[in-house]
Amino acid sequence: MSTTSKRRQGDANAKNEELKPSLWQKAFNSESQWDDKDEFLDVIYWMRQLTGLALGLIWGLVPLKGLLGLILFVAINVAIVYYFFNSFHSVDEEQFGGVSEILKEGLMTSFATFLVSWIIIFSALHS
């Protein structure tokens, strides 16, 4: 292969990489197509982590206590994920393992992030 054809092939690969949207661009565009199951589940996972952190900070600032805070966290977290995949992206949930598989993706690690941030902020401000 000549150096000219190698250069053209490299340029074509670079252009294809430039045209491919990032995961976050796909996440915030409701028209996105999710060809790779793992990409979509990664977006769900990281969205949950950010949600857990944000809710933990809010719950700590508000001084919300007890079972009410835990129930509200689970309800809000599941509702956000359900809206994201069912209404915003309108994906076929069976392609990703069903509704329960999507709703379980990252829930426990998000719960841990939520608890740590809630406890630290609450203890720092209200103890």
Side-chain angles (χ1 to χ4, degrees):
M1 197 182 271
S2 71
T3 57
T4 310
S5 62
K6 284 182 184 178
R7 188 177 307 136
R8 272 192 238 133
Q9 185 179 11
D11 291 343
N13 289 339
K15 287 179 183 177
N16 288 339
E17 288 297 320
E18 290 174 11
L19 297 176
K20 185 178 178 183
S22 74
L23 281 181
W24 291 113
Q25 289 172 331
K26 287 175 73 172
F28 294 115
N29 182 1
S30 63
E31 304 294 319
S32 296
Q33 296 297 318
W34 297 93
D35 301 325
D36 186 10
K37 173 184 175 181
D38 291 332
E39 281 185 352
F40 183 70
L41 294 178
D42 285 347
V43 169
I44 296 288
Y45 177 86
W46 287 108
M47 184 177 68
R48 281 219 158 150
Q49 300 313 306
L50 294 174
T51 302
L53 181 63
L55 291 177
L57 294 174
I58 292 168
W59 272 218
L61 292 171
V62 168
L64 198 56
K65 294 182 188 177
L67 189 60
L68 176 65
L70 297 175
I71 292 171
L72 280 175
F73 165 76
V74 171
I76 291 171
N77 200 321
V78 168
I80 288 171
V81 170
Y82 187 79
Y83 170 77
F84 181 76
F85 82 82
N86 196 32
S87 296
F88 186 71
H89 277 290
S90 300
V91 298
D92 178 21
E93 57 265 357
E94 294 305 318
Q95 180 183 359
F96 298 99
V99 174
S100 64
E101 186 66 30
I102 296 172
L103 291 179
K104 289 188 307 185
E105 180 68 29
L107 182 60
M108 287 298 114
T109 53
S110 175
F111 185 65
T113 303
F114 162 74
L115 283 178
V116 168
S117 61
W118 184 23
I119 291 168
I120 289 173
I121 297 299
F122 186 88
S123 298
L125 296 178
H126 305 290
S127 293

